[in-house]
Each structure stands twice: as structure tokens, then as C-alpha cells.
Amino acid sequence: MNHQRSSTRVENPQGFVHTGLGDIHVNVGAHLQDSDRPAFRRVAEDQLVRLRRVLVAPTGMGEARALLAATGSVILDGTPGSGRTSAARVLLREHQHDSGVFHELLPGEEDELSLHDPALVEHGDQLLLDLSAADDRRWSAARADLPALRKTVHERHAHLVVVMPHGGTLDPDLQYYRVKIGRPSGLDVLRRHLRMLGVPYQQYVQPDVTVTEFLREERPMREIADFADLVRRARETALAGEGFAEWCAAARKARNDRRKEVAALVTRLGEAPQRALLIVVSMLHGAHADVIHRAAQLLLRTVDFPSEEMPLLQHKDLAERLSEVSADTGPGGQVRFIELDYDSAVRAHFWDHMPDLRPHLGTWAAVVVELNDPHVLPAVRDGLVARVAGEYLRTGRGDGLASLAERWSSGAASRARLEAAVSALTCALEDPAHARDFRERIYHWCAHRRLRGEFAQVLVRVCADVLAASHPDQALLRLYYLARRERGTARALQALCDLAASSRRLRRRLLDRLARSDLSPPDLRIFLRACDPVPLTDFSGTTRALVEEDGVQRCLITCWHAVLAELPQASWQPHAQHWLRWAAHDTEPRSELLLDLLVSAAEQCEERRGEVFAALYASARDAERTAPGSLARSVEITERLIRKISAAQGLEPTIPPPASDEETQR
């Protein structure tokens, strides 16, 4: 089954941004630094756990599980709607390890590595290659690279699940890894969803004519999941005495096309306040009556409708006005339409038939999310943003949603508006039809566009908490561009380093990106934060540490050389001292490597070589005082460093190095 979508809450900082092709200058408001909302990556993990619980194993799931465990690879085939993509995600979730990360492979997208590139895979990674909707050209190109990808996956003890296009051809040498996924029982799927949604077992275990009729067709898993959710919502709003049969009937009715019904209602409601209330209830469905009342007033003000001069006590009360729009208020004060799922039909009507209203709705939504009202809860804000974004995406107007997110982030935007901007972009990234387009948009925003207001910080959160959940390589690249342009804050830099720390492969990719850059001061600033020797020398779960790889060594020498040659000593000395302290703490041969890399980088400084060598030696002496281990070990590292420096200069030390402070005091 396809995974469940949910609203996503991510929050972000505030400040002024000056942008262009050069630096981004940002001052971040302190009140946006922290949040009590869950990070998206935790939300995404929760969704995956729920998916595993709700999945009714399709035919072939056991065979696929055994093949993946035995070979590290499996290729899933099946008809659309059979649950093949959800099965792929669950299979990978079962092989989650601390040493690897989950990521979806996106061959052909901006700066994505080719499938045959070994750098694509790290030890223990879980890789999803979803080509279920690929055309013949994309599938043919991917098929040619699959043997090389499988080889790398096997060598690095990773796991790969490929979802192939239904009816696509497969080379003979890959046929062994193909597993046919078949649809599970529709009734079993519906009942599993109902159970997970809290519907009592005794309610849905009995045969029901509506359910039988609904499942008579072979419906996609997504449709069955949506129907189960409608039943759940019908149950929550049902009258006393109504049972499962009535809930299912209401769910079936909600699936009908209601365009003519809504159009007739709008025709009857000719007054602006009536239509405003109708729109507001559809956009804030389930919100408290106080919020509905205030939001309706704000919408009228947004469209410049003149205020009524009638005495207050002669106004219609909210209950009467709600009855006019086929809505009422529940026991807890929440306002809903009487008919199930009527809100979506109302939204679609106004969006489709009053296009001039669209920009006003974006402006109005930004005001509503900022309301200081105890009933404007995070779920209310998220629901409003998701509904506005949903209409843009439903009608294929991703550009309008992108502009709206930028506008919400302009100026000195409040925390609530920044959260709304991130939520809007998250909706787009979760939409299968628009996700690729928005990943490309975010790339161009981060790398090339002028970013006004707080939009740079919105993008930091989108990349770090949303995009990184399934596409960490793309998130890394976009955070790199943001980090090298920011000034006055280190939010992008911190997010970039945190992401690189989550995977050896990502740290390797970041070092490679830096070594291939123009090595400007912003790049070197990133390098000094990313070159922590502790993870570079860690070999947990692998046969060798990153620092022992030839490619990584070349990157480190290139970047350290630029640091030593271009930056003032005061900026790099603390990092060099940390490097040397860790050399004293670590064991051979990595300790020796750390010294060799520094000396090799300094050796390339040509006419400044002697000056840089002297600065490195001074750094080693200073590092002795704060080394975590024994002083003798630190002194030994300093002595080895001076011997390597002398050898690099073609000299032999004629005098012993100066005594350490402790030796001098004896």
C-alpha cells in the first residue's frame, strides 16, 4: 500500500537577508531558534513504522524478504496499486542499521551520482530505486547500470530494492532477483486500516453491503486507505445510534462528485458574508467556532468588503449563519459541514470558478496562522496550509505555491508564517506529481536565486528536516550552497555538518565537493567545520576509516593546503590543534596519516612553506597543553611532526625540539 501522508511541521529562524549571486546576510531572531514540534525526520520515521504496521503483506512479500536478506537486492514487479512501493519501503525498513541511512536514488536529477558510481553506496545503506512510473528510456538506462549497482551494494553490505515499471523488460542475468508482487485481499486491507484507525473490531467484522459493493472492483491500495479514513471520519461525526453501516454509507456518499450540488449552494448564497463563511469553513474545517468567526471577518477585510454598519445585536448569530452554509457546531465548539467531505468540494469550486480569489486566500491564510488565539492550534495552522497548498497542487500551479511560500517568508516574518512556508513546501515535496519539480526549484533557490526576507532560513529547514529524510544527497548539496553564502548566522552550516555527520558517504561527498570548489573563504570555512578528525578516523563497522581512502586523502590535502595558504593563522590554528590532539589520542596508522596529510598540505605552500611549517609546529606545542591523553604522547606527536617537516624540507634536525613545559619545570 502507498504510505500515509500527513501534515508536516517544521519551524525556523528569523532575520534580515541581503542576497544576490554572492553572500546571504542573515540575522536570526532568537525566538525562532527552538521549537516544541517534532523534526520531520522523526515524523517520517513514525510514518514508516505505521506503514509497516498497516501493510497487509502482498503476494510475494515473503519471497522478496528472503531474497533481499540472502543477496542484498530484490526487484519488485507488479500492477499499479498492488502495494509494491509500500512493500519496498517496508522491506528496507526491516534492514535499518546504525551504520547506514535510507535514501531514494534519483538518477538524472540535479547533481545526482550515476547508478554505477560506487560513491553512491555506503556500508549498511538502504537504497530505494522507484522506477514504477519510468518510461522506456529511463528504465533502459537504469537497467544497464543495475549490475554495477548491485555489485557495490553487495560489497558494502547494503540493501537495494528496485521497483520496476509494470510490463518492463528485464535482462536475463537479473531475472533471478525479480519478484512478482500481487494484490492482497481488499477486505483484509480495509479491515487492517480500520483497526489502525481505532474502529472497533466488532463493528467491521460483519458483512456490509456498502463495503461489498466498494470492493467489487480491484481498487488501488490508496483508494482503500482513503475509504477507510472516510469511514473513520464518518464515525467521529455520526449521530447517536448510528453504526458501521451508516458510517460506510456516508463514506460512499462522500466519494460522489458534488460539483453541481456545491454550485447550486453558492448560487443561493449571493451575499459576500455568506460566501466568505462558506470558504472559511472549507479551509478551516474542524476549527473552533471562534476561529471560524474571526477568520471570516479577516477574509472580508482581505477582499476589501466594507464593514456592516448594522447594530451588533441585529446581526445574525453564528449558528444561523452556519446553517445557511450547511454547517454546524459540535459539542466541543468545532465547526464542520453536515455532509462528510463537503469541504473539499467547496474548496475546489471556489478555486476553480473564482480564480481572482486565489491570491487573496494566500494573504488571508498568512494572517490567520498568526492569530493569537488559544484555539489556533498547530493542527489548525497545518490543516489550513495543507488545504491552500493542496489547491495549488491539484490544479498544477506549483509556481503559484512557490511564490506564496516566498511571500510568506518576506520581511520580518513571524515564526508562524515561517512555519507555514516550510509546511507549504513540504506539501509540494510529498506530492508525487510535483516533488521532482520542487526539488529542482529548491536547488535553484539555494544556488542561484536572490533570497529575500527569511526565505533562506526556511530553505535550511526544508533541506535539513524534509528533503534529508529521503534524499540526503540532494539536501547536502542545497545546504552547501546556502552555507557558503550565509553571513551573520551559521544555521545552514550547522545543518550541513549535522547531515554530513549522519553518514560516511555524505561526509565523503561533502569533502569531494569542497575540493572541487574554487576554495573561496566560505568554502574553507565549511571545510574547517567538516574536517573533524574524529569521524574521519572512525572505522566502526567498516574495514578502514575514511582518512585511509586515497580519494579522501586527496581532498583533505587540497583543502588543508588552501586553508594554510589563504586564511590567517588565527582562523585555522584551533582546528589544526584539534587535529594534532586527536593524532596524539588515536592509534597507528591513522595517527601517522593525520600528520602526513597536514605536512603534505603545508609542503605545497611554496614560498610560504617555511612560515606555514613554523605555524604548524607552534600549534603542536600549544596542543600539548590541552591534549586529552598523556603529555608524553603529545610530546611524541610534536617530535614526529618536526621530523616530518624537516624531511619535507630536505633537512635533518640538528637539535632536539624544545622541551615541553612540564620538562622545563622539572
Side-chain angles (χ1 to χ4, degrees):
M1 286 172 290
N2 294 331
H3 64 284
Q4 299 293 311
R5 294 182 60 185
S6 69
S7 60
T8 304
R9 290 162 268 179
V10 193
E11 49 296 324
N12 225 334
Q14 174 171 346
F16 172 78
V17 182
H18 170 72
T19 59
L21 296 180
D23 300 328
I24 297 178
H25 300 265
V26 187
N27 295 312
V28 183
H31 68 288
L32 291 177
Q33 297 297 321
D34 303 309
S35 172
D36 55 358
R37 292 182 168 202
F40 182 83
R41 274 181 274 188
R42 197 169 82 229
V43 173
E45 175 63 21
D46 290 344
Q47 285 180 273
L48 196 52
V49 170
R50 186 185 184 282
L51 175 62
R52 188 180 182 187
R53 291 175 179 170
V54 81
L55 180 75
V56 175
T59 304
M61 186 70 169
E63 180 185 355
R65 182 178 286 116
L67 190 60
L68 183 62
T71 68
S73 305
V74 67
I75 302 172
L76 302 184
D77 190 11
T79 58
S82 60
R84 53 195 171 152
T85 302
S86 291
R89 293 179 180 275
V90 169
L91 287 169
L92 289 171
R93 175 65 175 78
E94 294 172 351
H95 288 277
Q96 186 175 18
H97 303 290
D98 293 337
S99 59
V101 298
F102 168 83
H103 60 115
E104 185 174 349
L105 306 180
L106 300 167
E109 291 199 19
E110 191 73 54
D111 205 54
E112 283 288 312
L113 296 176
S114 64
L115 295 180
H116 62 260
D117 192 330
L120 195 65
V121 187
E122 186 52 76
H123 184 90
D125 279 353
Q126 306 102 50
L127 312 175
L128 172 63
L129 179 57
D130 184 3
L131 295 170
S132 55
D135 56 23
D136 290 342
R137 181 189 59 80
R138 284 185 63 209
W139 173 236
S140 178
R143 202 170 65 239
D145 288 336
L146 278 181
L149 175 60
R150 281 199 60 261
K151 181 175 182 293
T152 306
V153 165
H154 177 74
E155 291 172 347
R156 298 186 178 172
H157 303 285
H159 292 87
L160 167 70
V161 178
V162 180
V163 184
M164 65 178 288
H166 182 56
T169 59
L170 199 60
D171 300 337
D173 58 334
L174 293 174
Q175 286 289 350
Y176 173 77
Y177 304 97
R178 175 181 174 271
V179 173
K180 177 76 172 180
I181 292 294
R183 294 180 79 262
S185 162
L187 182 60
D188 289 345
V189 172
L190 179 64
R191 288 177 171 176
R192 177 71 63 85
H193 275 281
L194 291 172
R195 180 162 65 95
M196 293 297 298
L197 291 169
V199 178
Y201 172 78
Q202 59 271 22
Q203 292 282 354
Y204 59 76
V205 72
Q206 299 297 327
D208 180 81
V209 63
T210 303
V211 170
T212 302
E213 180 182 334
F214 173 73
L215 294 176
R216 187 169 290 131
E217 300 178 28
E218 283 198 350
R219 299 185 180 275
M221 298 297 102
R222 176 73 264 169
E223 279 193 35
I224 297 176
D226 288 342
F227 184 78
D229 191 60
L230 284 171
V231 173
R232 185 266 306 172
R233 289 159 55 194
R235 174 180 176 240
E236 291 176 353
T237 57
L239 299 175
E242 292 183 340
F244 186 68
E246 288 79 14
W247 307 338
C248 291
R252 178 187 58 192
K253 185 178 180 181
R255 299 181 74 252
N256 295 335
D257 187 351
R258 284 177 156 162
R259 285 179 294 181
K260 291 183 179 180
E261 183 181 345
V262 171
L265 176 63
V266 173
T267 300
R268 292 198 305 272
L269 302 176
E271 298 180 7
Q274 292 175 311
R275 292 185 173 185
L277 184 62
L278 183 63
I279 294 168
V280 167
V281 174
S282 74
M283 287 290 184
L284 288 164
H285 201 246
H288 193 274
D290 290 353
V291 179
I292 297 292
H293 173 71
R294 179 72 178 130
Q297 292 179 323
L298 289 172
L299 181 56
L300 290 171
R301 188 181 306 166
T302 302
V303 298
D304 295 325
F305 184 79
S307 59
E308 296 183 69
E309 298 183 0
M310 184 186 301
L312 181 62
L313 291 177
Q314 292 183 17
H315 291 185
K316 296 178 181 178
D317 65 24
L318 186 59
E320 182 180 357
R321 294 167 59 210
L322 288 173
S323 67
E324 292 175 348
V325 300
S326 301
D328 63 9
T329 305
Q334 284 72 32
V335 175
R336 292 183 175 88
F337 286 114
I338 296 171
E339 296 288 342
L340 184 65
D341 221 32
Y342 201 72
D343 55 311
S344 62
V346 171
R347 287 194 300 273
H349 175 87
F350 280 102
W351 194 268
D352 293 345
H353 299 291
M354 283 190 169
D356 292 341
L357 185 64
R358 296 169 189 170
H360 295 293
L361 288 176
T363 302
W364 164 79
V367 177
V368 172
V369 298
E370 292 180 306
L371 285 177
N372 183 19
D373 187 297
H375 296 297
V376 182
L377 304 171
V380 172
R381 293 188 178 100
D382 291 344
L384 172 59
V385 173
R387 289 166 186 138
V388 173
E391 292 307 309
Y392 276 107
L393 298 173
R394 179 184 64 82
T395 53
R397 298 189 174 275
D399 54 344
L401 181 58
S403 298
L404 184 64
E406 286 189 271
R407 194 161 74 245
W408 282 349
S409 311
S410 63
S414 68
R415 174 173 172 169
R417 281 178 58 182
L418 295 177
E419 290 171 348
V422 177
S423 293
L425 294 178
T426 299
C427 290
L429 289 171
E430 289 186 309
D431 188 287
H434 295 85
R436 178 168 183 165
D437 173 61
F438 268 81
R439 289 195 295 267
E440 292 179 357
R441 285 180 189 274
I442 291 171
Y443 174 84
H444 288 288
W445 274 328
C446 295
H448 305 302
R449 285 283 301 276
R450 296 187 59 191
L451 305 178
R452 296 181 174 85
E454 301 299 336
F455 196 48
Q457 296 305 311
V458 166
L459 292 176
V460 169
R461 298 313 309 164
V462 169
C463 293
D465 278 352
V466 183
L467 196 58
S470 56
H471 305 93
D473 295 69
Q474 291 204 356
L476 186 86
L477 176 64
R478 288 149 181 76
L479 287 171
Y480 161 75
Y481 283 122
L482 290 172
R484 74 194 303 265
R485 297 167 65 193
E486 71 179 345
R487 292 294 183 274
T489 178
R491 294 301 299 272
L493 177 58
Q494 184 61 54
L496 174 64
C497 292
D498 288 346
L499 181 56
S502 68
S503 164
R504 286 163 48 96
R505 180 179 54 79
L506 294 177
R507 188 179 297 277
R508 186 189 296 112
R509 287 209 69 183
L510 177 57
L511 292 173
D512 179 69
R513 164 64 61 174
L514 290 167
R516 291 187 291 108
S517 71
D518 58 7
L519 293 172
S520 62
D523 288 302
L524 300 182
R525 170 173 167 258
I526 296 172
F527 170 72
L528 288 175
R529 286 287 299 273
C531 72
D532 186 349
V534 179
L536 286 172
T537 55
D538 180 34
F539 62 99
S540 302
T542 62
T543 57
R544 62 175 180 168
L546 274 174
V547 76
E548 296 175 293
E549 297 179 8
D550 292 341
V552 172
Q553 291 176 20
R554 287 192 294 271
C555 293
L556 291 170
I557 291 172
T558 298
C559 294
W560 264 119
H561 165 243
V563 165
L564 298 173
E566 303 295 335
L567 298 185
Q569 181 177 343
S571 65
W572 59 257
Q573 188 168 11
H575 300 277
Q577 288 176 352
H578 177 47
W579 191 277
L580 293 164
R581 281 194 294 267
W582 190 252
H585 175 80
D586 206 2
T587 57
E588 303 296 347
R590 293 173 298 279
S591 175
E592 191 80 10
L593 260 176
L594 294 178
L595 299 180
D596 287 338
L597 292 172
L598 275 184
V599 172
S600 296
E603 190 177 7
Q604 297 179 14
C605 291
E606 299 178 351
E607 67 272 6
R608 292 193 59 226
R609 187 172 61 167
E611 176 188 343
V612 172
F613 279 146
L616 281 178
Y617 174 63
S619 299
R621 290 301 312 279
D622 289 340
E624 292 176 6
R625 301 182 180 92
T626 54
S630 69
L631 179 60
R633 172 64 174 165
S634 298
V635 171
E636 178 190 349
I637 289 297
T638 303
E639 292 174 348
R640 287 162 58 188
L641 177 66
I642 194 62
R643 285 197 295 270
K644 291 178 181 294
I645 289 173
S646 298
Q649 293 177 307
L651 304 174
E652 289 294 332
T654 56
I655 58 173
S660 67
D661 291 346
E662 183 176 294
E663 292 170 332
T664 303
Q665 293 171 4
R666 289 176 182 172

